[in-house]
């Protein structure tokens, strides 16, 4: 093996080896009755099995067919474990892992026994592997549902929490590995393994920063310790906030905390502290409430508004954002609210 091939083998195998170690770490640190870490551990495990198979097959094409079959079979669980991991963060949904794992394990075991790779290599290459990658892609698409709150924050220019960045990184990492393998025929078979190593180390860095108490990387907003506001300041800001409503500054879809502070002639951090601590909400949620109040008035006085135009005239930049905010704040859809007021 040449020196360049040795380096290639080292870096491609390094990701798989560390993936196994991380899998073990998350499994050990998984809390009782909470499956989140277990799903992450199993996701890293099946990814590592798939990667290590790629590495050894690339450098040893005469690798045992049983080893190849195990590596390919592991792919069938990558998508489900990604889906279950992201879903486990939803408080309103309990991940039913059996229906996403047992059927695939049963099918792939059946195929392995009755259609082993060693005897049906062409069937595996032409049909089974393609089916596995399609299933992996479908779960990537299904998993996107659980990233919608994060995507919504992007649209509304809200700051992301550390856990948001973490989940997004895991999702994009798995998606990138799928893309690397599906495009391997046009690039190189080893690209998937190398991409896993690269992505794994990026995620490890995020994990380190996420758990660091000293780092400010992806830190959430500072809790204003030892910075209590005096009564005079509280009254002043309370009076000034009414200016936003009187001038209807919230009708600007891009109205931000910076613009509000400038308009009210208040320091940005003071305004932020007031909204967070005194009102108990984020600035973006406060503005949403102002916009919903405007929308409610329009619904009560106007009969021919469409939901889309109503949202825009209330300061929202999209129909979906308006509809979601209205339902969340009032508990009703705009149509239901209008109907209830007309009785």
């Amino acid at each position: 093996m040449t020196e360049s091939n040795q380096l290639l083998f080292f870096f491609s195998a390094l990701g798989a080896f560390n993936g196994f170690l991380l899998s073990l770490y998350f499994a050990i640190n998984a809390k009782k009755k909470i499956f989140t870490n277990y799903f992450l551990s199993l996701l890293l495990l099946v990814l590592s099995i798939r990667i290590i198979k790629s590495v050894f097959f690339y450098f040893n094409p005469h690798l045992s067919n049983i080893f190849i079959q195990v590596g390919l079979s592991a792919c069938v669980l990558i998508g489900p474990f990604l889906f279950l991991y992201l879903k486990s963060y939803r408080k309103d949904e309990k991940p039913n892992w059996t229906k996403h794992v047992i059927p695939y394990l049963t099918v792939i075991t059946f195929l392995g026994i009755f259609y082993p790779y060693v005897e049906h290599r062409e069937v595996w290459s032409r049909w089974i592997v393609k089916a596995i990658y399609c299933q992996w892609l479908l779960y990537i698409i299904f998993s996107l549902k659980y990233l919608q709150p994060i995507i919504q924050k992007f649209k509304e220019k809200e700051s992301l929490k550390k856990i948001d960045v973490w989940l997004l990184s895991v999702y994009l990492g798995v998606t990138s590995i799928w893309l690397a393998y599906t495009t391997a025929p046009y690039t190189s078979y080893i690209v998937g393994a190398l991409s896993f190593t690269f992505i794994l180390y990026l995620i490890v860095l995020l994990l380190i920063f996420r758990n660091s108490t000293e780092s400010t990387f992806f830190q959430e907003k500072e809790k204003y310790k030892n910075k209590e506001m005096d009564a005079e300041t509280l009254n002043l800001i309370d009076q000034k906030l009414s200016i936003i409503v009187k001038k209807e500054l919230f009708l600007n879809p891009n109205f931000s905390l910076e613009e509000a502070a400038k308009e009210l002639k208040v320091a940005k951090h003071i305004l932020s502290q007031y909204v967070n601590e005194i009102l108990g909400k984020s600035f973006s949620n406060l503005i949403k409430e102002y916009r919903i109040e405007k929308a409610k008035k329009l619904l009560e006085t106007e009969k021919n508004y469409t939901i889309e135009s109503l949202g825009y005239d209330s300061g929202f930049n999209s129909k979906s954002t308006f509809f979601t905010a209205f339902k969340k704040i009032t508990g009703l859809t705009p149509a239901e609210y209008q109907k209830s007021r007309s009785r």
Side-chain angles (χ1 to χ4, degrees), residues 99 225 282:
K99 72 176 184 179
K225 294 180 180 179
S282 66

Side-chain angles (χ1 to χ4, degrees), residues 10-11 13 39 43 46 51 53 85 104 185 193 241 305 312 321:
F10 173 77
F11 284 112
F39 291 139
L43 174 61
V46 291
I51 297 302
K53 170 261 171 189
Y85 176 61
Y104 296 120
L241 272 179
Y305 258 107
Y312 289 136
T321 305

Side-chain angles (χ1 to χ4, degrees), residues 154-195:
F154 268 117
K155 290 181 179 179
E156 298 176 9
K157 299 179 180 179
E158 291 186 28
S159 58
L160 298 182
K161 295 181 179 179
K162 290 180 288 183
I163 188 61
D164 295 334
V165 178
W166 171 256
L167 294 178
L168 195 59
S169 301
V170 171
Y171 177 84
L172 292 177
V174 173
T175 303
S176 299
I177 294 167
W178 173 88
L179 187 62
Y181 273 116
T182 53
T183 58
Y186 310 101
T187 54
S188 173
Y189 190 70
I190 201 65
V191 169
L194 289 173
S195 64

Side-chain angles (χ1 to χ4, degrees), residues 52-92:
I52 202 68
K53 170 261 171 189
S54 300
V55 174
F56 283 104
F57 180 72
Y58 181 81
F59 290 99
N60 180 16
H62 304 293
L63 189 68
S64 170
N65 287 324
I66 294 297
F67 190 72
I68 296 174
Q69 181 176 310
V70 171
L72 291 173
S73 299
C75 282
V76 82
L77 294 177
I78 295 174
F81 284 136
L82 171 67
F83 177 83
L84 290 167
Y85 176 61
L86 295 177
K87 187 177 182 179
S88 65
Y89 278 94
R90 285 283 289 266
K91 295 180 180 178
D92 56 336

Side-chain angles (χ1 to χ4, degrees), residues 31-146:
K31 295 179 180 178
K32 189 177 181 181
K33 296 182 181 180
I34 298 178
F35 288 97
T36 300
N37 280 357
Y38 286 126
F39 291 139
L40 181 58
S41 172
L42 291 168
L43 174 61
L44 286 169
L45 177 63
V46 291
L47 274 170
S48 298
I49 292 173
R50 177 64 180 91
I51 297 302
I52 202 68
K53 170 261 171 189
S54 300
V55 174
F56 283 104
F57 180 72
Y58 181 81
F59 290 99
N60 180 16
H62 304 293
L63 189 68
S64 170
N65 287 324
I66 294 297
F67 190 72
I68 296 174
Q69 181 176 310
V70 171
L72 291 173
S73 299
C75 282
V76 82
L77 294 177
I78 295 174
F81 284 136
L82 171 67
F83 177 83
L84 290 167
Y85 176 61
L86 295 177
K87 187 177 182 179
S88 65
Y89 278 94
R90 285 283 289 266
K91 295 180 180 178
D92 56 336
E93 293 187 39
K94 292 184 178 180
N96 185 357
W97 66 270
T98 54
K99 72 176 184 179
H100 293 284
V101 175
I102 301 301
Y104 296 120
L105 270 180
T106 304
V107 171
I108 205 67
T109 302
F110 174 87
L111 290 172
I113 294 172
F114 295 99
Y115 293 91
Y117 183 86
V118 64
E119 297 174 9
H120 301 85
R121 185 167 181 170
E122 186 177 349
V123 174
W124 275 77
S125 299
R126 181 174 293 184
W127 301 108
I128 298 177
V129 173
K130 288 182 180 179
I132 290 173
Y133 281 125
C134 285
Q135 178 251 21
W136 185 352
L137 175 61
L138 286 174
Y139 269 98
I140 286 175
I141 296 171
F142 295 153
S143 300
L144 196 59
K145 169 186 175 182
Y146 300 106

Side-chain angles (χ1 to χ4, degrees), residues 31 51 53 88 114 198 203 209-210 219 274 305 327:
K31 295 179 180 178
I51 297 302
K53 170 261 171 189
S88 65
F114 295 99
F198 176 71
I203 290 178
F209 280 119
R210 178 188 173 198
Q219 290 287 335
Y274 179 87
Y305 258 107
K327 176 78 173 178

